[in-house]
Amino acid sequence: MEKIRYERPVIKKLNTGVMNKYGTRTEYAPVTNIDGAKVKDLIGEFGSPLFVMSEQTIRKTYKDAVRAFTTRYPKVQFAWSYKTHYNNAICSVFHQEGSWSEVVSGFEYNKALLNGVPGNKIIFNGPDKTDEDLILAINNESMIHIDHLDELYRIIELTDELKKRPKVAIRVNMDTGVYPMWDRFGFNYESGQAWDAINKIILTDKMDLIGLHTHIGTFMLTPSAYALAATKLSDLAFHIKSKFGKNITYIDMGGGFASRNTLKGSYLMGADTVPTFDDYAEAICSALLNSEYSKEDLPLLILESGRSLVDEAGFLLGTVLANKRLSDGRKATIMDFGVNILFTSFWYEHKISPAQEFSHYTEDSVIYGPLCMNIDVIRENITLPPMKKGDNVVVHTVGAYNMTQWMQFIAMRPNIVMIDMDGKPHLIRKKETLEYMNSLEITPEYLKSFKL
Amino acid sequence: MKIKKNVAISESGFIFNPTSGDSFSTNPIGLEIIRMLKDEKSKDEIRKYILSKYMTDDSTFEKDYYDFVMMLQTNQVAEEIE
Ligand SMILES: Cc1ncc(COP(=O)(O)O)c(C=O)c1O
C-alpha cells in the first residue's frame, strides 16, 4: 500500500468569542513559487536562507506610484532612496524606470555614480557630508540638500576655493501633526530657522537655491500630514518669490509612504489598512495645485519614496531548524534566519507562509531565529500549519531596509537573487564567505602562533 | 496514557471536554491517535500503525508523539495512568 504524506499530530484549543489575533486563513496558505520560480528550486540552487527580489513587483509598484502622481500633477520626478535598498541591480531597475537617486553618504553617492547616474540627477541628503563629498557633489552639479548651518557655512567656504555656484536646497522640518516630530534634520519651519537659512543663502549669493526639501517621517499613515507639509513648503516658496523675485525649481516631499506591512500591535493586516499611492498623491498634489503658484511657476515635484516602492518586492526564504515546546505549553519553531538579517521584524509582524502544501490544520506558535540571543524573535505569535525540520517558509514584504541594515553576526549574510520579468533567477549579491570576512581582518605577526 | 472518559470526539476532529468546557480541533492523524488511545492501544501499537500508513520514520514519530501526548495532558484531554 502506498504510504500517505505525514503531518505532525496537533491539537489546538478553540477560542470562541475572542477576536483572532493570530492572523487569517490567507496568512498560512502555502506559497510554493515566486513569479513562477519554485521556492524549493531556489533554495536548492542558492541555499537557505535566501533573499529573493521580484523585478516584476518593483516595476509594477513603481509604475503605479508614478501613475498616481502624474495623473494629478504635471511635473513629477522620483529619486530612488539608496539607503532603502542599494544593491546595484535593484537601483538599476529603478533607474531604468526613470528614477533619479537620493543618497545620504559618500558611499551611496559613489555607488550612484558607478551605477551610471549623472551627477546632476543625484540628490545629496543627510547631515554627514565630508569635504571630499561636498567637493565631488559641487563639481558634479548635484543637488545638495543642506541640513544645518555648519554645512551651509562650509559650502560657502568651498565655493570660494572651487569658484563654482553649487545647486542647493534646504531640508525643512515642521509640525505636521505627526509625532514624534523629525526636527533633528534640517531647519525648522515654525521657529523661522528655515526662512533664516533661505535668506542667508540668497543674500550671500554664492549658490543657487533651487529647491525646498522635507521628509516628515517614515511609515506615515496619514496622507493629510503631507498636504500640510506641501502647503508649508509652498508658503516658503511664495515668500521667496515675493521677497527676491526668484522661483523655486522643485519641491521635494521626501519619502515615508507606508508599505503594505503590518505594524506590531495592530489588529488589522497592513495590506488592508495602509493608504494607497493615490491617497498620498491626492493630498500632496491638491495642496500644491491649490497654493499660490501660477501655472508657469509650478515647481517640479520630487519624491524620495523608499519602503513603499520596494518592500513588497522582497521575500526571505528560510528553513525550519527545529520545533520546541516552551515551558508554558506554546509551540516554538526555530528558523535558520534571525533578526540579524531580518531587522524589520522588530517593528513589523511579517507575514510568513509555508512553502509546501499542508492540510488546513494549524497551530499557534512563536517563531525564533537561530541566534543565541533572547531578542531573536521573528514573530511572537503566528498561526501556521504544523511544520517539521527541513520544511521551508516564505517571509513576505521584506524588500525595504533589510538588505542594507542587515548585521553580520555569528553567520554570514546570505545570497540575494532577483527573479527577472521572465521568471528567471539572477544572483545579484553573493553570500559572504569566511575567506571574504577574513580578508578584511589583520592579525599582528606576533599573535600568529600559539601552543594549546 | 488514557483519554478521559467523558471527552467527546467527533468524526471531523472536534473534541469537547465537558468538565472544563473547552473544545479543541485536531488534524486527521491527531484524531487517529486519540481514537487509538481511547481504545486503549499501546504506544507500540500506535507506532506500528502510523509507520505503516505514513511516510515518516521512528525518531520523528517518537518526538512528535511525545509532544502530542504532552499537549493532550496539558489540555486535560488525557491523563497519565500507572
Ligand atoms: C531624506 C530621506 N528621504 C527618503 C527616505 C525614504 O523613506 P521611506 O523608506 O520611508 O519612503 C528617507 C528615510 O529615512 C529619508 O531620510
Side-chain angles (χ1 to χ4, degrees):
Chain A
M1 191 185 82
E2 182 100 27
K3 290 191 185 181
I4 58 179
R5 202 169 53 82
Y6 173 78
E7 180 175 83
R8 193 150 50 73
V10 290
I11 180 163
K12 182 179 162 188
K13 191 161 168 176
L14 300 169
N15 297 318
T16 45
V18 272
M19 188 164 170
N20 177 15
K21 68 172 176 172
Y22 294 103
T24 56
R25 175 76 180 101
T26 55
E27 180 157 21
Y28 44 79
V31 171
T32 54
N33 76 81
I34 295 165
D35 292 355
K38 287 208 178 78
V39 169
K40 300 274 173 204
D41 293 351
L42 289 169
I43 286 181
E45 186 173 355
F46 301 102
S48 175
L50 174 69
F51 277 105
V52 177
M53 299 297 301
S54 157
E55 181 179 350
Q56 196 178 312
T57 308
I58 297 177
R59 292 191 190 270
K60 190 166 77 49
T61 312
Y62 185 83
K63 287 189 166 77
D64 186 38
V66 169
R67 175 207 48 77
F69 281 89
T70 52
T71 50
R72 293 174 167 89
Y73 193 80
K75 294 189 265 178
V76 179
Q77 178 62 52
F78 278 81
W80 174 238
S81 156
Y82 263 48
K83 72 171 87 57
T84 311
H85 201 320
Y86 44 57
N87 179 279
N88 295 332
I90 301 299
C91 294
S92 301
V93 174
F94 282 103
H95 298 322
Q96 276 193 351
E97 288 289 333
S99 194
W100 294 355
S101 51
E102 183 268 328
V103 304
V104 290
S105 65
F107 163 66
E108 287 188 354
Y109 186 95
N110 283 296
K111 239 174 174 281
L113 279 185
L114 288 170
N115 280 335
V117 180
N120 66 356
K121 303 278 162 69
I122 302 178
I123 294 171
F124 202 162
N125 276 320
D128 176 19
K129 307 180 191 85
T130 63
D131 276 4
E132 197 188 334
D133 299 337
L134 285 172
I135 291 166
L136 189 62
I138 293 169
N139 285 330
N140 282 329
E141 299 184 357
S142 301
M143 291 155 274
I144 303 172
H145 287 187
I146 302 172
D147 188 78
H148 44 75
L149 280 179
D150 288 320
E151 184 169 86
L152 172 58
Y153 294 135
R154 186 61 195 139
I155 295 173
I156 292 175
E157 286 166 11
L158 286 173
T159 55
D160 290 338
E161 290 166 28
L162 298 171
K163 311 266 178 284
K164 292 240 162 147
R165 276 184 83 82
K167 302 206 174 336
V168 304
I170 58 162
R171 175 157 174 178
V172 181
N173 68 64
M174 59 184 78
D175 186 354
T176 57
V178 174
Y179 306 99
M181 210 168 110
W182 283 31
D183 59 358
R184 51 178 284 199
F185 303 105
F187 301 90
N188 184 250
Y189 174 85
E190 286 81 14
S191 68
Q193 272 181 9
W195 181 240
D196 186 49
I198 288 168
N199 279 283
K200 285 197 167 76
I201 292 169
I202 297 179
L203 294 170
T204 50
D205 202 20
K206 301 277 190 183
M207 52 191 112
D208 293 320
L209 180 71
I210 59 169
L212 294 172
H213 171 230
T214 191
H215 171 75
I216 59 175
T218 194
F219 212 91
M220 304 290 292
L221 293 165
T222 41
S224 61
Y226 283 97
L228 203 55
T231 303
K232 288 184 176 180
L233 288 189
S234 298
D235 283 350
L236 285 177
F238 184 67
H239 274 93
I240 293 168
K241 173 92 177 177
S242 37
K243 179 168 175 187
F244 301 103
K246 282 184 194 291
N247 280 326
I248 286 298
T249 324
Y250 67 85
I251 294 275
D252 180 345
M253 294 301 298
F257 303 157
S259 65
R260 293 158 72 81
N261 238 316
T262 306
L263 283 181
K264 276 202 167 161
S266 63
Y267 263 112
L268 300 167
M269 303 259 282
D272 303 327
T273 54
V274 298
T276 61
F277 287 121
D278 286 281
D279 298 330
Y280 294 113
E282 185 62 31
I284 293 172
C285 299
S286 306
L288 292 179
L289 293 173
N290 296 340
S291 58
E292 311 280 344
Y293 307 110
S294 65
K295 187 159 181 283
E296 308 71 59
D297 289 354
L298 273 181
L300 172 71
L301 168 59
I302 296 181
L303 296 150
E304 303 170 346
S305 303
R307 69 177 76 242
S308 56
L309 293 179
V310 81
D311 219 4
E312 250 189 294
F315 301 86
L316 175 60
L317 313 187
T319 305
V320 174
L321 294 179
N323 282 298
K324 269 190 182 173
R325 185 66 67 183
L326 301 178
S327 59
D328 62 4
R330 279 180 306 156
K331 183 94 210 160
T333 300
I334 304 168
M335 298 290 178
D336 65 351
F337 54 87
V339 292
N340 55 331
I341 59 167
L342 198 65
F343 200 80
T344 50
S345 47
F346 287 128
W347 61 83
Y348 291 145
E349 295 196 340
H350 281 294
K351 173 175 159 181
I352 302 178
S353 310
Q356 46 276 305
E357 293 295 337
F358 283 97
S359 71
H360 61 279
Y361 293 89
T362 59
E363 59 185 350
D364 300 334
S365 47
V366 194
I367 305 283
Y368 291 130
L371 310 180
C372 298
M373 298 177 81
N374 224 18
I375 56 160
D376 194 21
V377 183
I378 302 292
R379 283 288 303 266
E380 267 135 36
N381 46 53
I382 186 169
T383 302
L384 282 173
M387 286 192 294
K388 55 182 191 301
K389 182 174 155 62
D391 279 347
N392 298 124
V393 295
V394 177
V395 188
H396 299 256
T397 326
V398 303
Y401 296 102
N402 281 306
M403 282 155 269
T404 47
Q405 294 190 354
W406 49 3
M407 287 175 280
Q408 186 271 310
F409 176 65
I410 300 182
M412 284 157 289
R413 298 175 180 102
N415 281 324
I416 309 179
V417 158
M418 183 168 74
I419 314 287
D420 71 14
M421 302 301 283
D422 301 319
K424 184 170 173 284
H426 300 260
L427 185 62
I428 59 169
R429 190 181 194 273
K430 288 191 253 181
K431 68 174 175 223
E432 291 161 346
T433 59
L434 175 61
E435 207 178 9
Y436 165 72
M437 295 308 301
N438 272 347
S439 73
L440 303 173
E441 295 188 19
I442 301 152
T443 308
E445 210 50 48
Y446 72 95
L447 293 173
K448 283 187 175 159
S449 66
F450 44 75
K451 250 204 196 111
L452 294 176
Chain B
M1 179 61 47
K2 207 177 130 208
I3 300 295
K4 287 188 175 171
K5 266 210 182 64
N6 56 354
V7 164
I9 305 163
S10 87
E11 278 304 318
S12 56
F14 186 75
I15 294 153
F16 181 64
N17 181 350
T19 320
S20 63
D22 288 334
S23 47
F24 305 87
S25 75
T26 181
N27 54 353
I29 188 169
L31 184 62
E32 284 180 298
I33 294 174
I34 292 173
R35 284 248 169 77
M36 285 187 275
L37 286 170
K38 186 123 185 155
D39 293 344
E40 298 186 10
K41 295 269 192 294
S42 72
K43 179 174 163 190
D44 268 340
E45 286 172 294
I46 297 174
R47 180 208 317 275
K48 252 200 208 114
Y49 173 80
I50 297 293
L51 292 186
S52 68
K53 180 166 175 188
Y54 294 96
M55 287 184 282
T56 185
D57 54 66
D58 207 25
S59 67
T60 306
F61 169 80
E62 191 64 38
K63 192 169 53 116
D64 292 346
Y65 179 81
Y66 173 77
D67 182 64
F68 185 61
V69 162
M70 282 262 296
M71 289 314 286
L72 294 181
Q73 272 176 268
T74 311
N75 285 312
Q76 299 176 17
V77 172
E79 60 198 346
E80 195 79 57
I81 38 149
E82 287 313 324

